[in-house]
Every structure is written in C-alpha cells, then in structure tokens.
Amino acid sequence: MVIAIDGPAGSGKSSTAKLVAEKLDFGHLDTGAMYRAITLKCLRENVSHQDTDALGHCVQDTTLSFSGSPPHMRLFMDDEDISEAIRSDEVTKQVSDYCKPMVVRDALVEQQRTIGKNSDVVCEGRDIGTVVFPEAALKIFMVATTEERARRRQKDFERLGVKKTIAELVEDIKARDEKDSSRENSPLCKAADAIELDTTGMTLEEQVDFIVNKARGINPSLHKTN
Ligand code: DC
C-alpha cells in the first residue's frame, strides 16, 4: 500500500511521514531528499541547472540509496552519507532550480517508482499523488500558514546551529512556493482525490494519528502495536 503525502515546504510532511511509517511498519521514501542530493552533487561539481546535458550525466552517474528504518533513515550518495549535507542553506536555496528539468525528474521518478513498487511505503514530496503514484491508496495534501511553516523551519535550522529570522524565512518560503507551484513540470498541486490536512495549530501526534486512522480505515489489519 502506498500512502502519498504532498504539500509545500514546512507543512509538516517529513516529520509526519516518518512517524506514520514507523507506526504502520511501512518504509519511508523522502523524495525531496533525492532532489536535494542531486542539487548537492551539481553544486559540488559546478554543474549549472541550465546545462541539460551535464545534468543528465550527473543524474545517471549518481547512485542514491536509503538505509535504516523509519524514523532514522539515512540517505547515501555514491556511498557517502549525505543526510545532513543536503539540509544546508545553500542546497535549500538552489534545489527549486535543480528539481525542475525533466532529465532530473524523469530519472528520479523512475527510481521512486522502483522503490515503492509492491511495497508498503509512505512516500512524501510534491507530485506523489499526481505523478509518481497516482494510484496510491491514500493521498494526503498537507498545508499550513506561511508563518507557521517559517517557525518550523526556524527550529530545523536551530538544530543545525543556523540562526534565521522569521521574516527571512517567510521570504524564502514564499519564493520556493512560487517556484514549486508555477513550474511547468510536475508543479506542486493537490490531487483531485487527496484529503487536505491543514496542520496549522495541530501537534505532530495529531497529524500522525489523522493519517494512521485514515490508513486503518482502508486496511483495518495494518500494524497495531503502537
Ligand atoms: O521537501 P523538501 O523541502 O526537502 O524538497 C526539496 C525540493 O525538492 C523542493 O523545493 C521541491 C522539490 N521536490 C519536488 O520537486 N518534487 C518532489 N516530489 C519532492 C521535492
């Protein structure tokens, strides 16, 4: 069974998806992490997001693999653990440009389908319910106000030792929303059959329970020890 969780940056997807996966004993596929990995590699190798040929080679020459189990999955790129490196400010700022070209999207969507095929997985991103797994059994589209999302991002950065003001983060989020929603290829949008979940003011536990209960409504025999 595939549970698709889409939504804009900071809507609560990642923390929720990890815990839903843990509770249901599912795998967790963070597709944003894959786009971030390619961005990191291109930045390191000075590959421009406008150079389609070089981008294509870069994606083909890169091996991405997840290891561990939710909520402690790690992402490896060519055998290097890049789980922290992909969260840097630089990667976060540039990823909207590197995730746009179809050479990148086609290759990563294919890998995502291979990982999710015939398995129980919580898959999170921007185009999961619309493009990657349009047949997903459960689709959730998470939203939250820009201010709430900025507060969450501020906490994420604090954990990395980076100080950012809310005003600065609101601007970053608006810029990224605009790019993610207006791009031609697989823009962020809610699938017609997705359930919208506004997480503003909700606790993480409430978000997780909402999705777990929906999943158990579809398949009552799903993992029940937690
Ligand atoms: O969820 P995130 O912030 O880690 O995602 C990083 C970027 O990747 C974000 O700007 C949008 C892009 N992305 C995408 O285009 N498609 C996905 N399925 C997941 C993420």
Side-chain angles (χ1 to χ4, degrees):
M1 171 176 177
V2 172
I3 300 177
I5 303 184
D6 289 302
S11 55
K13 292 186 308 289
S14 282
S15 18
T16 308
K18 276 181 207 166
L19 294 178
V20 169
E22 187 187 21
K23 266 201 170 179
L24 295 176
D25 203 17
F26 275 32
H28 170 223
L29 177 55
D30 176 358
T31 61
M34 298 171 77
Y35 289 100
R36 285 171 178 270
I38 295 302
T39 305
L40 176 68
K41 176 111 172 208
C42 289
L43 292 175
R44 284 178 176 176
E45 300 196 349
N46 285 319
V47 173
S48 158
H49 63 87
Q50 287 160 330
D51 187 343
T52 309
D53 284 350
L55 261 183
H57 285 122
C58 184
V59 181
Q60 294 308 328
D61 293 346
T62 304
T63 306
L64 298 178
S65 63
F66 289 93
S67 79
S69 50
H72 305 295
M73 304 278 292
R74 310 290 302 176
L75 177 58
F76 287 79
M77 179 169 75
D78 306 327
D79 295 329
E80 177 191 351
D81 185 341
I82 52 158
S83 311
E84 272 83 36
I86 57 168
R87 305 288 160 197
S88 74
D89 203 17
E90 185 61 10
V91 171
T92 302
K93 282 219 167 84
Q94 306 268 351
V95 61
S96 304
D97 289 323
Y98 283 94
C99 71
K100 260 194 296 192
M102 283 317 289
V103 278
V104 176
R105 300 206 73 83
D106 283 345
L108 293 190
V109 166
E110 194 184 324
Q111 291 180 30
Q112 291 155 15
R113 287 184 180 144
T114 304
I115 296 171
K117 204 168 71 180
N118 303 327
S119 57
D120 288 325
V121 69
V122 180
C123 185
E124 53 151 313
R126 302 293 189 287
D127 59 347
I128 311 305
T130 50
V131 175
V132 184
F133 294 116
E135 74 297 349
L138 176 60
K139 299 182 188 178
I140 305 287
F141 193 79
M142 294 179 79
V143 294
T145 61
T146 311
E147 286 68 24
E148 169 98 13
R149 291 158 57 205
R151 278 193 291 275
R152 292 175 186 164
R153 273 283 182 250
Q154 194 179 41
K155 285 196 186 131
D156 290 344
F157 274 117
E158 269 169 22
R159 277 191 283 272
L160 296 173
V162 179
K163 278 206 160 58
K164 292 251 184 188
T165 66
I166 292 292
E168 203 179 342
L169 289 165
V170 163
E171 284 317 303
D172 285 357
I173 286 174
K174 282 186 178 161
R176 206 136 72 91
D177 277 359
E178 170 61 23
K179 283 187 178 174
D180 289 345
S181 313
S182 63
R183 68 172 182 235
E184 202 178 316
N185 304 330
S186 307
L188 168 69
C189 77
K190 177 173 170 277
D193 52 350
I195 300 167
E196 183 164 315
L197 178 62
D198 186 343
T199 64
T200 313
M202 279 178 90
T203 64
L204 182 56
E205 196 182 13
E206 287 167 342
Q207 297 165 32
V208 173
D209 285 348
F210 178 90
I211 300 174
V212 166
N213 288 336
K214 289 281 174 204
R216 288 188 178 139
I218 296 169
N219 181 354
S221 67
L222 286 175
H223 200 65
K224 283 228 163 98
T225 56
N226 294 304

